[in-house]
Amino acid sequence: MGRRWVEEDTPPPLDLRLVPTALAVWAGALVGLSGVSWIGPAVIAGAAAFGGSVAVALHRRGVVWWSGWLAVCAGFVAALTISALDWHFAEHNPLTIASAKGSWAVVEITIGVAPQQIASRFPAADAAPNPDGSPPGQWLVSGHADLASIADTEFEPAMDISLMATGDRWAHLVPGERIRAAGLLTPDDYSILPGVTLKARSGPEMLARAPWWHRAGATVRERLVRSASGLSPDAKGLLPGLVVGNTDGIPPDLAADAKVTGLTHLLAVSGSHFALLCGLAVLLLRGAGPRIAAAGGAVVVIGLIVLVGPGPSVLRAAVMGSIALLAMSVGRNRTALPALAAAAILLLLYDPTLARSVGFALSVQATAGLILLAPVWSKALQRRGWPAGFADLLAVPVAAHVATMPVIAALSGAVSLASIPANLLAAPVVPPALVIGMAAALLGPWWPGAARSLAGIDQPLLEWIAFVAHRLASWQSASLPWPASVPGVLALAGLLMVGMLILRHRKVRALLLAVVVGAAMILVPAQVISVGWPPPDWVLTACEVGQGDGMVLSTGEPGTGVVVDAGPDPDLIDACLTRLGISTVPLIVLTHLHADHVDGLAGVLAGRSVGAIGVGPDRDAPPAWRKINQLAAAQGVPVVGLPKGTTWGSGALRFEVLGPEGAFRGTDSDENNDSVVLMAQIAGIRILMTGDIENEAQQQLLDDRVDLRADVMEQPHHGSAKVLPAFVAAVHPTVSAIGVGLGNDYGQPSPKALAQLTAIGTTILRTDLQGDAVVCVKDGRISTVTRGAFLTEGSGKGGSGDGA
């Protein structure tokens, strides 16, 4: 029986012909996006190799083998050329050059995706309040610059551009609309290609309406939000997020718990949404013939793109979801694997920047898992008596998790085991919740009463998803630390492959099942009975607060901790402190005044005893400074300065202020460089807190010959690329904690910063992938614990304006 099972489960030979070409295209795009001067010679060399291969193929046999080699060479050269040209044109675009000078510009822009709100309670100084007195919203708008005017000179930049704008009039822009806006140009340091951000000071002035289909999609999205307005808070936010990708209404605690439990992909549109709805259409139309069914599926995909908005992540999800549907419906990886490779080739040639996108890598790997693993595992379970639906329900999330595990480990330095049970519990209600929600969305503009009724029917399903997220997030997640180095990732991939081969034998599977059941009988009751969080002997916690910093230093006394920055959201930092059991905060340190470090201040003050608020020299954000003083005065908390040389202590914690010497002027970001830098000591280790310091402040510390050696470092500026190798070498941390938001618009943490840390063997903690991350010290030994990691990508938004 064992031999028969192995033979039955053995998949047919794989069609790998396009896979080498896809990898070559990916490699060529990566080389071209490096922006180095030897791209030209590399293109010539690649073209020469291609030409030589053609000549050899014409004079030798083995045409099939040589045609494959030709495809690899051609793919590499094509991707290298396209990406290098994209880099060159972006770098030398007049708009890019003007942004380096901080020029004032008037730009005509075609909106690309719906505006994203940036949560900030500190509006710009010149922003008028709303009619009800509330602060105006801040918005991130992305589009294509068609025409620009600088110093009375008009030109056609023909490049993508981002706008940072204040005022709720920006909220109602629709993809496809053409607007005019004026403001200051600044370099976009977080885009993959050389980019430009316009800090809008006027506009938007409408020049042309969006096409009717985009206006219809905007109406459906708006009416769905209205239909959900009468639901519970979790369901009210989940319904628009699940159906049309609008995450603005999702409560912060639900977003944080979904990240911990690996359910983030349910809060925004992903490939699984396209696969479910397209699959339903194909199933309903199957009786009319394969061509009509395929056409119906294509119509659903196009309709979803229009409804959700034609953003890059949506287009990628549409492609990958369609391929996943193909794999699960035909059950033949010979058909689906070439389709995946072809899709990757076309997407990379269309947009080479995807080569450096973590989301794209995870999408490809998850889809590959659904193609190669899920059908085989599902059929094996069905042969053992499992119903087909339950077999797929188990096989799909496990296959996606296994396929993406090496990339997640490379990014987070940990392997999460918590997301599989969460996805298994939530998966049964997702299809009906999505279908009912889509029906409510489509009925909204025509029959509002029926749409509200459908939303009410959907509420129990949505609340179950929220319940799973909240419940499992309240436990200490099973997260195993793993080396984020190249050898560590390769070792994990090797272990997964060996494990899958070994598990093909029945006796090994039976033994593993016995071990898992035994461990569950011991560990699950312990998890339920014990509090589980925070872990004992913790000294530093990096709170999951979205795109921002919220750090807590233990004083060694129960319920007491020093907060270093409060993040962008009061609810998130309050929830983190509550989980830690912090009721007394002898000192809050606000390193600088950017919103992603101070907007959460009210959450720290709420219901806690606070001794003082310490600040540095930054005063470049008057509204934020006024708000801080108003909150402090209302609570009777003094605001004190923390100049260089200040020493302070509470309980077992001591720290010294290392910088800055004074306010910076004339740097790329004076506010970031003005961040307070602390060296804390507790439990025999040194912890360096860096705020958002950039190259100039780092160099000042090096020039002053400050002893920067530390066991633990808060990574400067959320893992920005603006970090000096000499600074990292001087600190040489064992652990680096990065406060950063999932899917942020700034590309943080940067590959450069991660590579520097990996090269010296530093353990990397990331709040976007691991939730709350804790450093513990016991008997002089440092360990790390996290509350969980996510499985698939979701929708993320950047920090507030200049604060990111």
Side-chain angles (χ1 to χ4, degrees):
M1 290 296 292
R3 178 184 297 275
R4 181 168 175 259
W5 184 86
V6 171
E7 291 173 353
E8 288 176 348
D9 284 353
T10 301
L14 299 177
D15 186 351
L16 300 174
R17 288 173 294 178
L18 285 179
V19 173
T21 304
L23 295 175
V25 170
W26 204 322
L30 286 173
V31 175
L33 292 174
S34 62
V36 296
S37 59
W38 44 267
I39 293 297
V43 173
I44 296 173
F50 174 69
S53 300
V54 172
V56 173
L58 293 175
H59 292 86
R60 294 190 59 173
R61 297 178 181 179
V63 176
V64 174
W65 188 90
W66 280 101
S67 64
W69 172 245
L70 289 175
V72 170
C73 291
F76 180 84
V77 172
L80 175 65
T81 303
I82 293 172
S83 57
L85 289 175
D86 284 351
W87 182 280
H88 173 81
F89 289 136
E91 187 176 34
H92 294 86
N93 192 292
L95 210 59
T96 306
I97 297 173
S99 70
K101 303 175 183 178
S103 301
W104 179 272
V106 179
V107 186
E108 296 182 5
I109 301 164
T110 300
I111 304 300
V113 295
Q116 294 179 318
Q117 187 169 15
I118 302 170
S120 176
R121 289 161 178 78
F122 297 137
D126 56 352
N130 292 324
D132 61 359
S134 61
Q138 296 187 3
W139 302 89
L140 174 65
V141 184
S142 301
H144 188 77
D146 305 307
L147 185 67
S149 175
I150 300 176
D152 298 328
T153 301
E154 287 191 351
F155 58 93
E156 297 180 0
M159 72 177 300
D160 291 336
I161 188 174
S162 298
L163 286 85
M164 291 290 188
T166 300
D168 291 341
R169 63 189 182 279
W170 294 88
H172 305 292
L173 296 177
V174 176
E177 286 181 338
R178 195 158 181 260
I179 64 167
R180 180 184 291 119
L184 292 175
L185 296 173
T186 61
D188 187 349
D189 296 325
Y190 307 103
S191 63
I192 295 175
L193 294 173
V196 175
T197 296
L198 179 71
K199 296 182 178 180
R201 294 295 182 263
S202 68
E205 177 186 349
M206 189 63 61
L207 301 178
R209 298 182 69 192
W212 67 267
W213 54 88
H214 282 312
R215 298 200 304 272
T219 300
V220 171
R221 293 192 295 270
E222 181 183 355
R223 295 298 173 86
L224 180 61
V225 173
R226 293 184 187 179
S227 300
S229 60
L231 305 181
S232 64
D234 283 340
K236 180 171 65 175
L238 266 177
L239 181 58
L242 181 68
V243 177
V244 296
N246 181 354
T247 60
D248 290 339
I250 293 178
D253 60 335
L254 176 57
D257 290 344
K259 186 181 301 182
V260 171
T261 54
L263 296 177
T264 309
H265 60 101
L266 300 182
L267 306 187
V269 173
S270 64
S272 61
H273 294 67
F274 283 87
L276 283 170
L277 294 174
C278 183
L280 178 62
V282 171
L283 182 64
L284 294 175
L285 297 174
R286 180 173 292 178
R291 292 185 179 179
I292 295 179
V299 170
V300 170
V301 170
I302 295 172
L304 280 173
I305 292 174
V306 172
L307 180 60
V308 179
S313 61
V314 174
L315 297 176
R316 182 175 71 243
V319 173
M320 295 304 170
S322 301
I323 294 171
L325 173 66
L326 174 66
M328 295 304 296
S329 60
V330 304
R332 294 178 57 195
N333 48 23
R334 281 188 61 85
T335 302
L337 188 60
L340 173 61
I345 292 170
L346 294 176
L347 286 171
L348 287 166
L349 291 177
Y350 173 74
D351 183 6
T353 61
L354 290 175
R356 289 177 55 182
S357 167
V358 172
F360 179 70
L362 290 173
S363 293
V364 171
Q365 287 192 320
T367 307
L370 298 183
I371 291 172
L372 299 175
L373 303 177
V376 176
W377 292 350
S378 177
K379 289 179 180 178
L381 292 172
Q382 292 175 47
R383 282 196 293 272
R384 279 146 188 83
W386 285 61
F390 286 100
D392 288 342
L393 189 66
L394 176 62
V396 167
V398 176
H401 180 68
V402 169
T404 56
M405 195 179 293
V407 170
I408 297 298
L411 294 172
S412 64
V415 175
S416 173
L417 306 178
S419 53
I420 290 179
N423 278 273
L424 290 177
L425 289 171
V429 306
V430 172
L434 179 59
V435 172
I436 296 172
M438 183 59 68
L442 296 178
L443 284 176
W446 321 106
W447 194 356
R452 287 193 296 270
S453 298
L454 287 174
I457 295 172
D458 213 12
Q459 177 167 297
L461 303 177
L462 299 169
E463 288 181 339
W464 170 254
I465 297 173
F467 172 78
V468 170
H470 293 315
R471 184 67 176 175
L472 295 189
S474 66
W475 297 352
Q476 183 175 327
S477 171
S479 183
L480 305 177
W482 194 268
S485 61
V486 173
V489 173
L490 293 177
L492 178 59
L495 287 174
L496 291 173
M497 295 179 64
V498 171
M500 286 186 287
L501 291 174
I502 293 177
L503 290 177
R504 295 167 71 87
H505 299 283
R506 176 176 300 177
K507 292 181 179 179
V508 176
R509 295 198 307 274
L511 176 62
L512 179 63
L513 179 61
V515 172
V516 171
V517 172
M521 292 177 64
I522 297 173
L523 296 178
V524 171
Q527 287 273 25
V528 175
I529 295 172
S530 65
V531 177
W533 195 264
D537 306 309
W538 72 275
V539 294
L540 172 69
T541 297
C543 293
E544 197 290 297
V545 293
Q547 177 63 13
D549 274 337
M551 305 284 172
V552 186
L553 290 165
S554 171
T555 65
E557 299 174 332
T560 304
V562 170
V563 175
V564 181
D565 288 324
D569 190 293
D571 294 332
L572 293 181
I573 189 66
D574 181 34
C576 179
L577 293 173
T578 300
R579 290 190 293 268
L580 292 172
I582 299 296
S583 58
T584 301
V585 181
L587 180 66
I588 302 172
V589 178
L590 301 178
T591 59
H592 61 299
L593 300 185
H594 277 164
D596 55 335
H597 293 251
V598 302
D599 273 20
L601 178 59
V604 183
L605 295 171
R608 294 182 178 86
S609 173
V610 177
I613 299 173
V615 296
D618 179 19
R619 299 293 185 274
D620 290 332
W625 180 240
R626 287 196 299 270
K627 187 66 174 180
I628 290 169
N629 281 276
Q630 290 170 1
L631 289 172
Q635 298 289 331
V637 178
V639 178
V640 299
L642 295 176
K644 179 180 178 180
T646 299
T647 58
W648 186 92
S650 177
L653 175 69
R654 298 289 183 272
F655 72 69
E656 178 183 0
V657 178
L658 304 183
E661 294 181 353
F664 281 84
R665 290 293 178 265
T667 65
D668 287 344
S669 176
D670 294 338
E671 300 94 332
N672 286 338
N673 284 314
D674 285 345
S675 295
V676 176
V677 180
L678 307 175
M679 180 65 76
Q681 298 188 51
I682 185 173
I685 71 166
R686 291 160 59 91
I687 303 174
L688 181 64
M689 310 299 293
T690 62
D692 279 0
I693 60 171
E694 297 185 354
N695 294 353
E696 295 85 355
Q698 296 167 27
Q699 189 62 54
Q700 183 183 82
L701 292 169
L702 293 171
D703 293 342
D704 290 346
R705 299 186 179 278
V706 174
D707 183 5
L708 296 173
R709 292 173 298 169
D711 303 282
V712 180
M713 175 175 70
E714 174 199 14
Q715 188 70 17
H717 200 185
H718 321 292
S720 164
K722 295 182 178 180
V723 56
L724 298 175
F727 181 82
V728 177
V731 181
H732 206 284
T734 302
V735 177
S736 179
I738 306 177
V740 65
L742 177 64
N744 66 83
D745 300 301
Y746 304 98
Q748 295 170 339
S750 70
K752 173 185 175 182
L754 296 176
Q756 289 176 349
L757 296 171
T758 301
I760 60 176
T762 300
T763 298
I764 301 172
L765 299 177
R766 293 177 52 172
T767 58
D768 58 338
L769 303 183
Q770 297 164 296
D772 295 347
V774 168
V775 179
C776 304
V777 179
K778 185 174 183 180
D779 299 327
R781 300 185 62 179
I782 297 176
S783 61
T784 61
V785 181
T786 62
R787 293 189 71 237
F790 76 103
L791 257 182
T792 55
E793 68 167 337
S795 172
K797 298 177 183 178
S800 53
D802 300 336

